[in-house]
Amino acid sequence: MEMLEGILNRTSSPLLEEPAPSPEQIENMLQAAMRAPDHGRLKPYRFILIEGQEREALGELFLSRLLEINPDADEKTCLKTRNMPLRAPMLLVLVACPRPHPKVPASEQVHTTACAGQNILHGAYAQGLGGVWRTGWVAEDKQIQKQLGLTDEEQMLGYIYLGTPKNPARKTPEVDSADYISFWKSDH
Ligand SMILES: Cc1cc2nc3c(=O)[nH]c(=O)nc-3n(C[C@H](O)[C@H](O)[C@H](O)COP(=O)(O)O)c2cc1C
């Protein structure tokens, strides 16, 4: 697939099923991630892969945190929360790991990690896979982050759900670029 064609046509796939990405497809996505623009080439990120039964364990973790935060959570919410990680055969946790650097602030390193996330989504789409980036309280919760092995210095940017799209890719919405660009004139 031509690169521009892929970038222009990629959409997220919220409904994902087996098969999960193969080891080769995962490697391609990780290599794509690590081509993100990266001031100082610090590689300020890491990825945690969760698949198979570990998704069930993650669902139990989500549920136990939900019940700690809200012991009165209703059954529907509990079930939905526990099943969240089962919405795809594989999840990649996107973690920014800012490195101390005299010229590259932590914020730039977080931007690099977000670009890596975008490249993972493009890498998935280019290989006929589907992906969707999700966050929400299960990404923000410090206890869940700790259980996933994040340190206090690291930042959770979200879960990228990966798998085979259940439905054909949605059509991308038409956008008028004129609404998002202006031309600077030096005599302002
Ligand atoms: C940092 C980040 C967090 C997101 N969190 C969620 C989320 O929790 N739930 C959700 O439905 N979409 C979330 N999205 C948006 C989807 O991943 C997706 O980009 C959006 O639905 C637009 O679809 P498209 O990628 O096909 O244009 C998030 C996107 C980003 C970049």
Side-chain angles (χ1 to χ4, degrees):
M1 184 187 293
E2 289 294 325
M3 186 171 176
L4 187 60
E5 188 195 335
I7 292 172
L8 293 179
N9 290 311
R10 182 208 63 82
T11 52
S12 297
S13 301
L15 298 177
L16 295 160
E17 60 187 2
E18 302 280 349
S22 68
E24 189 192 348
Q25 288 171 323
I26 297 165
E27 179 61 17
N28 286 336
M29 288 186 281
L30 293 177
Q31 291 296 336
M34 294 187 288
R35 286 308 309 130
D38 179 4
H39 192 176
R41 295 206 165 151
L42 300 175
K43 301 260 175 296
Y45 38 63
R46 66 188 181 94
F47 316 99
I48 305 167
L49 200 151
I50 302 170
E51 61 183 337
Q53 287 189 342
E54 299 306 336
R55 294 171 307 146
E56 280 156 38
L58 184 63
E60 294 299 337
L61 173 60
F62 288 176
L63 177 60
S64 71
R65 275 303 289 151
L66 172 72
L67 291 171
E68 275 173 25
I69 297 162
N70 177 12
D72 300 326
D74 61 55
E75 207 180 319
K76 196 174 154 205
T77 309
C78 289
L79 196 64
K80 189 176 167 203
T81 303
R82 197 178 59 192
N83 286 338
M84 276 179 182
L86 304 181
R87 290 177 293 187
M90 182 178 287
L91 288 78
L92 265 190
V93 184
L94 186 57
V95 184
C97 323
R99 325 262 182 225
H101 191 281
K103 284 192 189 153
V104 187
S107 58
E108 285 186 16
Q109 300 185 44
V110 175
H111 300 162
T112 289
T113 307
C115 292
Q118 169 76 327
N119 280 5
I120 289 170
L121 291 173
H122 281 308
Y125 182 74
Q127 299 183 97
L129 299 165
V132 59
W133 186 333
R134 296 182 185 277
T135 47
W137 75 268
V138 293
E140 282 155 30
D141 186 80
K142 291 286 171 208
Q143 283 303 321
I144 293 175
Q145 292 179 7
K146 204 172 163 194
Q147 292 296 317
L148 286 167
L150 271 70
T151 66
D152 290 342
E153 290 72 39
E154 293 180 323
Q155 198 173 318
M156 153 73 109
L157 297 200
Y159 302 88
I160 299 185
Y161 286 67
L162 293 165
T164 303
K166 260 191 196 165
N167 298 319
R170 284 174 296 140
K171 216 171 123 38
T172 51
E174 295 218 354
V175 185
D176 187 349
S177 64
D179 294 341
Y180 298 91
I181 186 162
S182 61
F183 296 88
W184 185 68
K185 299 273 190 269
S186 57
D187 59 356
H188 269 186

